[in-house]
Amino acid sequence: GKREKRMRTKNVRFDYVTVYYFTRRQGFTSVPSQGGSTLGMANRHSCVRQYTLGEFALEQEKLHQEMLKEHLKEEKLSSLKLKLTKNGTVESEEANTLTLDDISDDDIDLDNTEVDDYFFLQPLPTKKRRALLRASGVKKIDGEEKHELRAIRVSREDCGCDCRIYCDPELCACSQAGIKCQVDRMSFPCGCTKEGCSNTAGRIEFNPIRVRTHFLHTIMKLELEKSQQQVVGMENGFAGELSAHTSHLIQSQSQPAQEYSLPDSFDIENEPETAVMHLQSAEELDWQVEDEEEEEEEE
């Protein structure tokens, strides 16, 4: 009896999703890898909408489909330009005049592309951020932000200890400050090696294998949940008419209240640390050029 009561008090119920919409504004709150023109939002929301869980899932899928369509068109445009210029080795007037408007829906294979497999967030280059701000009605983009962000990025490079390979606790700035040495990439920000670090506070090293393993485990878990939903759909007689995903949405609409049990052993304070990796797209290679274009445009 006591256990059942304890489990009931830990159940979390979700009935509806309330979405607040904000107008996009220049941000002044984030630090992109390159350039300025950061993306932010207005101080107050412009409208509010409420969805059932099923309606919200459909809305998200529709939004992701639109984003995927744009992404596929950009890929197709880039591919056509490379073909016309023979991988950038020759000039092509046609390639210079091509835009996204020249790519039709028939040119991309949206139907055979899984949104769940393809959709992911990527950092936006400066040029695209500026375009988004202008499309949202921002007439004047503050150019000072770019210089402030550049100063912040430079200051962030000046961190960690000055040790090289070996850390002497008596001389290591990190050890003297009572903090761990940290290595995100080779010799940055701290230049010590795993074997040579004698920092009494310890040492943290970014582990890409751990991040990749965590990513794969998450994907496998989601696939397992998807398979389980499909089995439930088949048992309820939906499988013959609907896909597993649609079946899940219909069940969500007919039963808007969802319950998720939190196990007794769950303790957020004791959960292991999870590493976060910043994924950079190939577009970032062009950001330096775009920064120069941005400066010319402001002048």
Side-chain angles (χ1 to χ4, degrees):
K2 286 185 178 180
R3 178 172 175 78
E4 288 180 6
K5 185 177 180 181
R6 188 166 64 248
M7 287 300 292
R8 276 201 302 272
T9 58
K10 286 192 175 184
N11 284 348
V12 182
R13 294 174 63 87
F14 296 94
D15 293 318
Y16 296 96
V17 179
T18 304
V19 183
Y20 294 84
Y21 294 89
F22 292 79
T23 306
R24 184 177 278 119
R25 293 285 182 265
Q26 191 169 356
F28 303 100
T29 52
S30 59
V31 183
S33 300
Q34 296 286 344
S37 307
T38 58
L39 301 178
M41 59 187 187
N43 291 328
R44 288 191 60 81
H45 57 274
S46 53
C47 67
V48 183
R49 282 197 64 183
Q50 192 175 70
Y51 302 88
T52 64
L53 296 182
E55 288 170 347
F56 182 69
L58 286 171
E59 187 73 14
Q60 288 294 96
E61 185 176 15
K62 180 182 175 183
L63 177 64
H64 289 177
Q65 284 277 3
E66 288 299 317
M67 295 176 75
L68 176 59
K69 183 191 291 185
E70 183 181 358
H71 191 79
L72 290 175
K73 283 188 174 183
E74 287 175 351
E75 282 191 341
K76 185 67 176 179
L77 177 63
S78 178
S79 174
L80 282 174
K81 286 186 175 183
L82 285 174
K83 187 176 180 181
L84 290 169
T85 60
K86 296 182 179 178
N87 290 331
T89 57
V90 297
E91 285 290 328
S92 170
E93 186 65 32
E94 185 181 354
N96 293 334
T97 57
L98 275 177
T99 65
L100 282 178
D101 295 332
D102 298 314
I103 311 297
S104 69
D105 291 350
D106 296 331
D107 295 327
I108 59 175
D109 190 10
L110 188 63
D111 293 335
N112 293 321
T113 306
E114 281 289 335
V115 176
D116 292 340
D117 296 338
Y118 208 92
F119 177 75
F120 55 92
L121 292 174
Q122 284 191 333
L124 296 174
T126 310
K127 187 181 289 184
K128 183 163 284 188
R129 294 199 300 268
R130 292 175 71 83
L132 286 171
L133 288 172
R134 290 203 177 98
S136 298
V138 179
K139 294 182 174 62
K140 175 67 176 174
I141 296 175
D142 190 338
E144 278 301 308
E145 183 191 35
K146 176 185 60 182
H147 303 297
E148 292 171 2
L149 292 173
R150 184 178 294 159
I152 291 173
R153 285 192 290 266
V154 170
S155 70
R156 286 181 174 180
E157 292 292 322
D158 184 21
C159 58
C161 61
D162 296 326
C163 305
R164 287 293 171 263
I165 302 178
Y166 302 102
C167 270
D168 182 345
E170 299 297 324
L171 302 174
C172 173
C174 293
S175 183
Q176 290 294 306
I179 60 175
K180 297 178 181 180
C181 286
Q182 181 163 328
V183 181
D184 292 335
R185 58 179 186 268
M186 187 176 289
S187 299
F188 180 83
C190 297
C192 55
T193 63
K194 184 177 181 180
E195 295 76 16
C197 182
S198 299
N199 184 341
T200 53
R203 181 178 182 274
I204 300 174
E205 184 171 344
F206 172 71
N207 187 344
I209 297 175
R210 181 185 174 193
V211 174
R212 182 66 180 170
T213 303
H214 174 71
F215 170 75
L216 291 174
H217 283 173
T218 303
I219 293 297
M220 289 169 65
K221 182 181 177 183
L222 291 173
E223 287 297 323
L224 180 61
E225 289 176 357
K226 195 172 182 180
S227 299
Q228 290 172 343
Q229 289 167 7
Q230 188 172 6
V231 171
V232 171
M234 291 174 67
E235 290 174 352
N236 292 338
F238 288 116
E241 302 170 11
L242 305 166
S243 67
H245 181 59
T246 309
S247 171
H248 175 60
L249 294 180
I250 288 178
Q251 289 175 43
S252 297
Q253 288 175 325
S254 61
Q255 300 173 356
Q258 301 287 326
E259 292 192 2
Y260 298 86
S261 297
L262 303 179
D264 292 334
S265 60
F266 182 79
D267 183 359
I268 195 167
E269 296 296 329
N270 296 323
E271 287 296 296
E273 295 180 5
T274 54
V276 178
M277 180 169 61
H278 173 64
L279 301 176
Q280 294 181 320
S281 67
E283 288 176 317
E284 287 184 324
L285 297 174
D286 301 325
W287 286 5
Q288 192 69 39
V289 176
E290 289 175 3
D291 285 346
E292 293 172 3
E293 291 176 354
E294 184 182 352
E295 290 177 0
E296 291 174 3
E297 189 176 336
E298 287 173 359
E299 291 172 1

